[in-house]
Amino acid sequence: MYDVVHEPLITPSCAAAALDWYDRHRRALPWRSEPHEKADPYVVWLSEIMLQQTTVAAVKPYFAAFLARWPNVSLLAQAPIDEVMRQWAGLGYYSRARNLHACAKRVAGEFDGRFPDTEAALRKLPGLGPYTAAAIAAIAFGRRAAVVDGNVERVVARLFAIAAPLPAARALIREKVEALTPSARPGDFAQAMMDLGATICTPKQPACAICPLLDHCAGRASGEPRRFPVKAPKRERPRWRGAAFFVRRADGAILVRTRPPKGLLGGMVEIPGTAWSADFDPGAALREAPIHAPYRKLESVVEHVFTHFALRLDIYVAEIARTSRAPAGCRWALEGDLDKEALPSVMRKVVEAARKGGKLFGGGD
DNA sequence: TACACGTGGTG
DNA sequence: TCACCAAGTGT
């Protein structure tokens, strides 16, 4: 076995092959304009923010709802932030929603409602990092920009059989993308590479046989395209515990509170609870209850997995007199209106468990 | 550079 | 059951 170096030629043919494939096999997505149509920067921006670390399937309904409610950036800029957080609830990475609103206000205020049309200017806006600034510059404004997301990383790492592990290999991958990106149709090229990564050059089972870049691909030539990209090992995820207190007033109102604007679930609404930690003491949970009440601990628990820890919550439920006042930092929300609150998914699980548990023991509605 | 930051689907 | 992953950004 010879130690052959497979080095694809960086010629227009590679980009041309990707573009040709894109013209025939591109995905139809709600935020995508036809090749001859002009892209709406607002639509491109909104979709790109939502798509950060988020699947197409998850984004679709949120994108439709946002666009229907706020058809342009100036209208979004005028919306109350709480409205935006509510509309974003369930999509995750909530700092994106805060930055989305901040960005809309900047564009409406400083740029008269029109997004800046260069990568450098876009990069200065909140929520726009290297990927998103390049993507908008290329897709919405036809600028030649190196668009590198997770898909492109994978495709390019395979194309060049890059052996260096991520994230250190990012600089090299970026150089390769920079060299590959054509001056003509840079936006379509970027989307072609992303579609390739999403549908052909997939993480587990790449469909090399039908890949338009097959003849260019060193990873394929190596016989083991799945080896690329090489990744550094991940840290293990700690298990945290805590408790939540579902308090229902006699008139059906539920005690809720809004989390601080920054950090985990920043600015979102929650059912009050203890702090979450690895050394949570279940026996001492009631000491952290937000309000005095005859709590009953449910048998069922709520489990939820965040990016960097797994959480198990004990659920306490209680009925309380109609005259009870909300403690500092909390407020009452009508149970029927909880759907409309900016409840993150983990808190929707808490509400669901409390309702189910409450009924089971005959204490409920 | 490394870590915080959500969620739901998938093999 | 569980690790992996999906159009990353901010600090």
Side-chain angles (χ1 to χ4, degrees):
Chain A
M1 178 97 183
Y2 296 100
D3 189 21
V4 179
V5 177
H6 305 280
E7 192 64 17
L9 293 171
I10 297 182
T11 65
S13 70
C14 205
L19 283 167
D20 180 59
W21 174 85
Y22 185 70
D23 288 337
R24 285 178 288 120
H25 298 294
R26 68 201 205 89
R27 291 178 290 175
L29 298 172
W31 42 86
R32 230 173 225 182
S33 58
E34 295 300 316
H36 57 277
E37 283 178 349
K38 205 163 194 178
D40 178 349
Y42 173 67
V43 166
V44 175
W45 165 72
L46 180 61
S47 65
E48 289 298 344
I49 300 298
M50 288 185 167
L51 286 162
Q52 289 168 1
Q53 295 288 286
T54 308
T55 57
V56 165
V59 165
K60 279 180 177 175
Y62 285 84
F63 174 79
F66 267 75
L67 202 59
R69 184 151 191 173
W70 299 297
N72 63 57
V73 71
S74 298
L75 290 171
L76 177 57
Q78 292 165 24
I81 182 63
D82 288 355
E83 254 334 276
V84 177
M85 300 309 287
R86 258 203 293 282
Q87 202 73 38
W88 195 277
L91 196 55
Y93 283 136
Y94 297 100
S95 66
R96 290 187 295 174
R98 203 163 283 282
N99 283 332
L100 184 85
H101 192 244
C103 182
K105 290 209 272 195
R106 288 272 300 274
V107 171
E110 295 175 26
F111 299 99
D112 198 24
R114 286 183 288 272
F115 279 84
D117 66 354
T118 67
E119 185 179 4
L122 286 162
R123 183 68 180 77
K124 292 184 165 63
L125 294 170
L128 303 210
Y131 162 75
T132 307
I136 297 173
I139 297 170
F141 299 114
R143 303 278 188 180
R144 203 182 86 90
V147 179
V148 186
D149 75 329
N151 287 305
V152 177
E153 272 180 7
R154 184 171 57 256
V155 171
V156 171
R158 286 174 178 166
L159 196 56
F160 296 91
I162 292 173
L166 291 175
R170 293 233 161 89
L172 177 58
I173 290 173
R174 185 179 180 71
E175 282 177 32
K176 300 294 190 187
V177 174
E178 169 69 33
L180 282 169
T181 302
S183 302
R185 304 181 65 194
D188 285 345
F189 174 75
Q191 293 178 93
M193 295 292 274
M194 291 191 279
D195 272 19
L196 268 178
T199 63
I200 304 280
C201 196
T202 56
K204 301 283 178 67
Q205 295 292 331
C208 296
I210 57 172
C211 180
L213 302 185
L214 174 62
D215 294 338
H216 303 269
C217 188
R220 169 62 172 173
S222 80
E224 288 186 287
R226 282 175 302 180
R227 282 201 300 132
F228 308 100
V230 180
K231 294 191 176 182
K234 293 191 172 148
R235 278 201 320 174
E236 70 176 286
R237 182 154 44 210
R239 296 168 183 278
W240 288 8
R241 292 189 59 183
F245 303 96
F246 190 83
V247 182
R248 182 190 287 111
R249 211 166 57 176
D251 61 349
I254 307 298
L255 194 64
V256 300
R257 70 184 173 200
T258 299
R259 294 174 64 91
K262 305 223 168 185
L264 185 69
L265 306 175
M268 302 298 284
V269 175
E270 68 177 354
I271 302 300
T274 67
W276 304 340
S277 70
D279 54 11
F280 169 74
D281 177 3
L286 282 173
R287 288 211 293 266
E288 290 185 60
I291 190 171
H292 181 72
Y295 289 105
R296 182 159 51 75
K297 183 175 181 235
L298 300 187
E299 290 187 22
S300 62
V301 298
V302 164
E303 310 246 23
H304 192 77
V305 179
F306 293 89
T307 306
H308 55 296
F309 67 96
L311 180 64
R312 187 172 93 180
L313 288 177
D314 294 334
I315 309 298
Y316 291 83
V317 299
E319 304 283 336
I320 200 171
R322 174 198 296 271
T323 51
S324 300
R325 303 215 158 201
C330 295
R331 63 187 167 85
W332 298 101
L334 288 179
E335 184 163 15
D337 290 344
L338 280 182
D339 291 352
K340 304 185 185 98
E341 297 284 344
L343 287 174
S345 291
V346 60
M347 287 301 149
R348 293 187 188 270
K349 288 185 187 176
V350 169
V351 170
E352 171 73 18
R355 281 180 174 156
K356 200 172 285 180
K359 273 182 192 152
L360 211 59
F361 288 81
D365 45 354

